[in-house]
Amino acid sequence: MGGRGMFVEPTVVTNVARDMAIAREEVFGPVLSLLTFKTLDEAVDLANGTLYGLSAGVWSRDFTTCLAAARRIKAGTIWINTFLEGHAELPFGGYRESGIGRELGRFATEDYTESKALHMHLGERSEWWLAQ
């Protein structure tokens, strides 16, 4: 702490075990928790072993490994060899306890749209519309 208010300086937490609160809960701030793994399966298990899934970052020299991990990690946004980049056209939102629905992109309109199906019999023919 220092100055006015309260804040956390950029912090790296080492020797983190998967059962520790800092490994299981969302930390909003400049905090990096380091957990170790030996296999891709173990890494994916660690990433998916929380109640949250807002975003994930996968780093490797082997792009095939990155794609394999990204396909299996349950998170709304996954960055590969980068972090916190994005475009307004891409949906943003999390899995599990990290959110419902998606913001940004065409998916956001679905969260704010109530649709209704109309079916009418008009004499000899029937017609239908999807009204929004």
Side-chain angles (χ1 to χ4, degrees):
M1 293 195 324
R4 300 177 82 191
M6 298 180 64
F7 65 94
V8 175
E9 299 223 8
T11 304
V12 177
V13 182
T14 59
N15 299 317
V16 176
R18 71 180 308 151
D19 61 338
M20 297 171 84
I22 198 164
R24 295 186 332 268
E25 299 174 5
E26 289 182 308
V27 177
F28 292 96
V31 178
L32 174 67
S33 302
L34 294 179
L35 290 88
T36 60
F37 57 89
K38 293 186 180 180
T39 67
L40 179 59
D41 287 341
E42 188 179 354
V44 169
D45 188 49
L46 284 169
N48 291 336
T50 72
L51 295 174
Y52 306 101
L54 184 59
S55 63
V58 177
W59 297 82
S60 175
R61 290 185 184 124
D62 183 354
F63 196 69
T64 302
T65 299
C66 289
L67 287 176
R71 285 186 184 105
R72 294 172 54 197
I73 292 173
K74 295 176 181 150
T77 298
I78 300 177
W79 289 282
I80 295 177
N81 292 338
T82 188
F83 205 71
L84 292 179
E85 291 186 13
H87 299 279
E89 296 83 9
L90 296 174
F92 182 80
Y95 283 34
R96 299 180 303 276
E97 297 293 321
S98 286
I100 298 172
R102 295 292 180 262
E103 297 176 8
L104 307 176
R106 68 178 177 87
F107 297 97
T109 59
E110 294 173 14
D111 284 339
Y112 302 103
T113 302
E114 187 173 288
S115 42
K116 180 185 293 185
L118 305 173
H119 188 135
M120 297 185 289
H121 181 76
L122 303 172
E124 297 292 317
R125 66 176 208 251
S126 292
E127 297 204 19
W128 64 271
W129 296 275
L130 180 60
Q132 295 188 355

